[in-house]
């Protein structure tokens, strides 16, 4: 097996740390460098080094680069590495939209290098892995979009649900709020609390979810999206409410999901009527999906859960690389997990 | 001030314990007895005694009785006390529905005393306190219906939202799951987890919410309702998604709420666009309500939070008594609370 | 009842907020001002205002001032108010030691106004409340010393335990670590963790505990003291291990505690062999103490628990004021609490 | 590599489940059966089957058996398998003491098969792995004794600390309290709480700790031992306080530990003055040990942390098997872990 030389930009945040954990356990990869403003004890435990700045990292020679830098900052280094002929997976939001207008509409800033957007493609491994074939820059989707798309795409593509209004009630653990200490992540403010931090159509992921739902299924789509902060460290759940169309039932939707994900190691469709919990998926790279019947009301409820740092971020990036390389999709990635 | 002599049936569950706490601090009330299969240390700390069985309690003479017994068991004792000319507030589900058919449809068992249903009335203090005037038996609403109704009733009554499909995503703390230890309440299963335990149209509160929404506003109503278990001890939140009607906007809905609850001590409408957290309400008898704009999508998002043991149970029962007695609504009830 | 006009310096930290909560519910007190660099939403909910800087506060006229400012900064304002003839309770460490040498030894900085130390007295309400009679400046003890002293002073005074080596294993909730967000208080670092943050003889409270143990009982004392961070918001527990002396047994020690605290509302000695939990005391101003037998080994184990923000800080300050004023010791202070 | 055929008795408790996780990932092992009164969903996820009763399991042919049955019940099946010439590791307390008298003194019941005790040996892999050479029955030590011994044995053997009174303050997560739901493990009773559940000399592990401390080092030993329940799922910490002897210092003790564990993969001695947290070890089979200086007081403080289900139970059992088989000690066992 060829050993891929890889570098990690922004290795000291929660996403970077988790990505480094996956890469360290990956038999086909050698991590050549990781960057951080200043790597701390946790970082060096995950990756002994060398650690350097993003600037300094350019001196190394690698085959792949993963960027866990913040949006706005990421694009610059992603393109610098792409210019060296290196394949880059960007976990930030910088290359998720195809146009600078969309980027600015949702991120509130001008895109750092609008002329490069055309080189990139957003990859959801279960959906369009092959689109990455000939691209230098691959964008990893956001954690919420990943869960929502995996839950609804099969049914939307088949016209089973009405996309004119899909309601999404999402909840995530505190690692989703980032590693720098803030008032919002102070233990005393999180413990014994639940906080809706974004509702309606304010969250950046609204744009991302709608854009690809429309693009991939050619169906005009509109969503409401609420995101809440759970007093847990890891894990993310989305509950999706959609009106049924054209005689579809919960069972039709469920069968469609079962079929869509047959043979996929990282999406597990639960028996009809059963929904996943965070414990089911935390510590794994899986997204578990459940379908609940509400046929009498003409709607269906879908519940998807994943680990926001694995399938929602670092794990999915490794999965994307595995597929691109033609390797076993699960290399370096936990399929079974956690519980207590 | 007249001192009311009261008794508490089922005083050793979470609801009973919290009710006893409120009653102990209430200047107009003396607790004459509490019942429990066997009162434990926590119970006797809340209420020194006498503790007895429900059977034995009938030997006491009181003015009011509160029942925190489980549904199915409660009705028998509620009617026994009503027959003695005592006013009874039933916190169980036994007297929430007006017909035995509805009761059986949602609780799955025959009603223990169907002929007595006509004597009872369900009281939501902010909505129909006067309906209790001449009734012996008052039913306290469920915790979820309380939050949902307080959030949506004003707008529904004014025809601002479409009741043909209202989506409700609800979350509650573990005290909502009861005091007897079960696998579901084991610390190891709850900590670092979030569990959807009822979705679609399965939860008993679906029937309760729809029935009174229709009855009180004469508007056919249908909901989807998901309930999840949060890894917290107390607190409940509902996020309600409703389509706007007849030119209404989030601001219209918000103004309508502000007006409806002007002067009410236990409902606080947050500034438009702001939503409550559990910390805002835990330890108080308040329900805080927030309105989020999604006008461009033609929908509105409402968020309501309350303490499931206070405004969602024992506190609301005391509030109902206060109003019936013509006392200050807040006697014995915390208006401000908690945080850390 | 005379209404005391009081001011609070440093009202926006956890201690200040809790003190403001006690003072607001106190029938003999009116809060005239509170200071904060910038008061936030939580602060204004606890105290509507006026909020000002410590500098600006000097324009107000009050009878008592409480300082919750950090040590090093507190002394300056404490003395400024004492100079105005106002009685001041300092909750910081600035006036706990009688000499600048001791202060510097444990706080690592020169004392801001060494010449004023002689005016102050440290007050443990159950022990030396009368010592405060004629003092302008009263120091509130630290949270750990309060628990340790309440547990061991009666036995030490009576010579029942050997003070040449007392082992103290202490644990506290995250409010003890302060309100500004730090890596140490980040939810992700606290949840599912337990951290010993000070062991041996490094913690500042070692000096405080030993000094007054010696001074008050005229017995040379030496301790080991370990402090750990619990993944809870509030509550503190100390487990104290001491060798028995002169034929004493756990029962002798226990009787001595029972006698010492007879009639004291805020210290509850548990039955011999039973120890308190955090739930027993959080939300109250009590310190509960338990004694465990290990007579065969010639040692005794004492366990004391309190709410670090009440009996360990703001509550004890109010208790001190109550006693000084000749009021009921419990005014404005919760005797019973919490559980779920 | 020879593939060992193994069976697991009592596979559905927390310990059994964790053991099954280790065995499943172990390249040298095939799990032939697991027993449970009734295996549940979590169990079958860890081990697909066959599941059977302990009685039925005797029909299988295996090389090794691990027993995670409760004490009192375990001995019977351990001996039944030993009689078949199978090597057995007993994780219960049944074979930890060499005499029935000691067993009865600490477990309060007669030993189920006292005549078989002589066949067994207690194995602490870092200390006496070779003692297991020719034994059929190996007892796994308790979780607390494992942590305590690893922290103090090297210093005790060298006479660096005084064993006449060693103080041990221990804390453990809720998996240590077992999987059946009880009041003690109810989320509402654990969350935001800390409970000392055993203090002085009452805990069964007191006898185990003292007996082997004396036996292995030929030094009369006496301890005080307090055990507390942390609101976390996994992890255990012991803080050990011991008087120094014969001119020893914290540094001497630390050097002695460093030397004792040089080359051992599962004990990590932290730099002098630094102590481990639960996050450092949860998810690993390591026990991390730290030494804190208190030389001026003539004492030393040792802190040891481990994962109670791995190094404290199932992991250590696998480690014992690895050593017996002459395999790499770390096969199937995580050396690095967790954090967020």
């Amino acid at each position: 097996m060829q050993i891929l030389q890889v570098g990690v930009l922004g290795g000291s945040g929660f996403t970077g740390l988790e990505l480094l954990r996956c890469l360290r356990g990956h038999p086909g990869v050698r991590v050549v460098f990781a960057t951080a403003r200043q790597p701390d004890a946790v970082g060096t435990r995950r990756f002994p080094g060398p650690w350097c700045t993003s600037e300094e990292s350019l001196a190394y020679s690698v085959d792949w680069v993963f960027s866990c830098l913040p949006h706005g900052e990421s694009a610059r280094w992603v393109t610098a590495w792409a210019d060296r002929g290196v394949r880059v997976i960007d976990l930030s939001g910088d290359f998720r939209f195809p146009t600078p207008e969309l980027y600015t509409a949702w991120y509130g800033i001008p895109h750092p290098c609008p002329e490069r957007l055309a080189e990139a493609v957003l990859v959801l491994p279960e959906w369009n892995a092959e689109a990455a074939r000939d691209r230098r820059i691959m964008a990893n989707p956001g954690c919420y979009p990943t869960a929502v798309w995996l839950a609804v795409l099969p049914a939307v593509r088949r016209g089973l649900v009405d996309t004119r209004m899909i309601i999404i009630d999402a909840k995530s653990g505190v690692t989703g709020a980032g590693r720098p200490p803030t008032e919002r992540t102070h233990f005393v403010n999180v413990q014994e609390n639940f906080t809706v931090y974004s509702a309606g159509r304010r969250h950046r992921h609204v744009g991302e979810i709608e854009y690809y739902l429309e693009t991939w299924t050619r169906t005009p789509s509109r969503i409401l999206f609420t995101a809440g902060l759970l007093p847990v460290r890891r894990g993310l759940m989305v509950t999706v409410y959609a009106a049924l169309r054209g005689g579809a039932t919960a069972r039709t939707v469920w069968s469609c999901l079962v079929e869509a994900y047959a043979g996929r190691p990282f999406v597990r469709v639960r028996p009809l009527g059963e929904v996943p919990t965070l414990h089911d998926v935390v510590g794994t790279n899986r997204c578990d999906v459940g379908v609940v019947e509400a046929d009498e009301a003409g709607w269906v409820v879908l519940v998807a859960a994943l680990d926001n740092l694995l399938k929602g971020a670092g794990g999915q990036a490794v999965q994307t690389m595995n597929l691109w390389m033609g390797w076993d999709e699960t290399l370096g990635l936990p399929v079974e997990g956690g519980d207590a």
Side-chain angles (χ1 to χ4, degrees), chain A:
Chain A
M1 180 185 229
Q2 172 197 1
I3 298 296
L4 219 55
Q5 313 292 316
V6 311
V8 173
L9 302 169
S12 64
F14 287 130
T15 294
L17 289 170
E18 194 67 21
L19 175 62
L20 284 167
R21 191 206 307 256
C22 296
L23 293 173
R24 268 191 90 171
H26 194 297
V29 157
R30 194 176 75 86
V31 181
V32 174
F33 68 82
T35 78
R37 223 151 300 165
Q38 45 176 27
D40 55 13
V42 179
T44 49
R45 239 180 301 154
R46 286 289 162 78
F47 174 62
W51 287 84
C52 58
T53 64
S54 296
E55 188 66 51
E56 294 162 351
S57 76
L58 296 170
Y60 290 98
S61 167
V62 292
D63 304 312
W64 278 72
V65 161
F66 296 88
S67 170
C68 306
L69 294 168
H71 76 265
E73 188 187 337
S74 189
R76 179 183 158 204
W77 303 103
V78 165
T79 50
W81 279 102
D83 288 344
R84 280 165 165 69
V86 167
R87 222 155 292 275
V88 190
I89 296 187
D90 184 8
L91 288 87
S92 87
D94 278 353
F95 287 96
R96 291 185 190 151
F97 286 116
T99 72
E101 291 73 26
L102 273 166
Y103 181 83
T104 300
W106 290 101
Y107 286 84
I109 51 171
H111 194 278
C113 36
E115 71 288 358
R116 308 294 295 270
L117 284 172
E119 298 170 39
V121 62
L122 178 138
V123 184
L124 179 67
E126 280 78 10
W127 191 257
N128 68 335
E130 71 301 327
R133 263 300 98 223
D134 55 347
R135 299 298 177 103
R136 277 270 140 69
I137 304 176
M138 293 163 241
N140 224 33
C143 51
Y144 290 125
T146 295
V148 171
W149 291 331
L150 290 174
V152 305
L153 272 174
V156 170
R157 177 172 48 176
R158 296 263 283 269
L160 305 180
V161 299
D162 187 340
T163 56
R164 283 172 306 171
M165 179 48 64
I166 294 178
I167 310 282
I168 302 158
D169 198 280
K171 303 95 185 158
S172 169
V174 182
T175 48
R179 220 180 148 206
T182 64
E183 216 169 285
R184 199 176 142 215
T185 61
H186 195 300
F187 181 84
V188 171
N189 295 332
V190 175
Q191 171 84 335
E192 289 283 299
N193 206 1
F194 179 76
T195 314
V196 164
Y197 64 90
S198 181
R201 297 180 50 76
R202 295 181 200 164
H203 197 288
R204 275 168 193 150
H205 290 170
V206 169
E208 191 175 327
I209 293 169
E210 284 184 353
Y211 178 80
Y212 287 97
L213 216 46
E214 292 203 9
T215 304
W216 284 337
T217 70
R218 299 166 196 276
T219 323
S221 301
R222 178 161 285 184
I223 66 168
L224 288 189
F225 179 83
T226 299
L229 187 68
L230 289 168
V232 306
R233 290 182 294 168
R234 293 165 76 132
L236 172 162
M237 188 183 286
V238 295
T239 304
V240 181
Y241 305 86
L244 292 163
R245 275 190 56 202
T249 62
R251 181 167 293 277
T252 333
V253 170
W254 175 78
S255 302
C256 169
L257 280 163
V258 169
E259 194 187 311
Y261 298 117
R264 301 307 306 235
F266 291 128
V267 182
R268 193 166 293 177
V269 181
R270 314 296 289 251
L272 182 57
E274 197 184 296
V275 295
T277 69
L278 297 191
H279 277 195
D280 291 332
V281 294
V282 166
T284 81
N285 192 53
R286 293 199 332 263
C287 178
D288 281 15
V289 185
V291 180
V292 179
E293 296 178 278
D295 292 349
E296 59 184 295
W299 285 59
V300 67
V301 186
L302 297 142
V303 177
L306 52 76
D307 184 322
N308 54 306
L309 298 182
L310 285 164
K311 184 61 178 164
Q316 181 148 273
V318 173
Q319 184 189 357
T320 302
M321 173 190 70
N322 286 343
L323 289 170
W324 198 96
M325 295 294 295
W327 291 338
D328 173 355
E329 192 171 350
T330 65
L331 276 187
L333 296 172
V335 177
E336 295 294 336
D339 314 310

